Amino acid sequence: MIIHVRLHTILRRKTPEGVIDRLDLELGPEATVETVLGRLDIKLQGRSVLLVVNGKLVDRAARLNDGDELRLVPAISGG
């Protein structure tokens, strides 16, 4: 199955061709958000990144379906 991934702000990838903020990943049928994080080598600490699948906040264990869009949005705090 194909999952569409959007990488926001500091999670964008720099490549010789430019900055990548969107990519499609081919994953197995039992894939979860954690599968994507592992594939992209993204290590989370606490709630440092919001995990959003098709517009809904989810956790790392959320199952993914073909065609889903996963957005990885760094959480920002301030005062």
Side-chain angles (χ1 to χ4, degrees):
M1 73 177 158
I2 302 294
I3 302 300
H4 310 288
V5 181
R6 293 281 317 269
L7 302 168
H8 292 267
T9 63
I10 63 171
L11 295 175
R12 293 177 179 162
R13 304 295 169 123
K14 292 181 182 175
T15 68
E17 294 79 31
V19 176
I20 294 174
D21 64 353
R22 297 173 190 229
L23 56 119
D24 293 335
L25 293 179
E26 186 168 346
L27 303 170
E30 303 294 316
T32 63
V33 171
E34 186 72 43
T35 306
V36 174
L37 296 173
R39 176 80 73 83
L40 297 177
D41 195 28
I42 295 174
K43 294 173 181 43
L44 303 183
Q45 296 177 357
R47 296 188 177 269
S48 60
V49 174
L50 300 176
L51 309 171
V52 183
V53 175
N54 301 328
K56 295 180 182 176
L57 283 173
V58 299
D59 63 23
R60 297 175 192 207
R63 287 298 243 354
L64 297 169
N65 297 300
D66 189 42
D68 280 350
E69 179 185 65
L70 169 62
R71 291 175 175 257
L72 304 176
V73 184
I76 299 173
S77 64

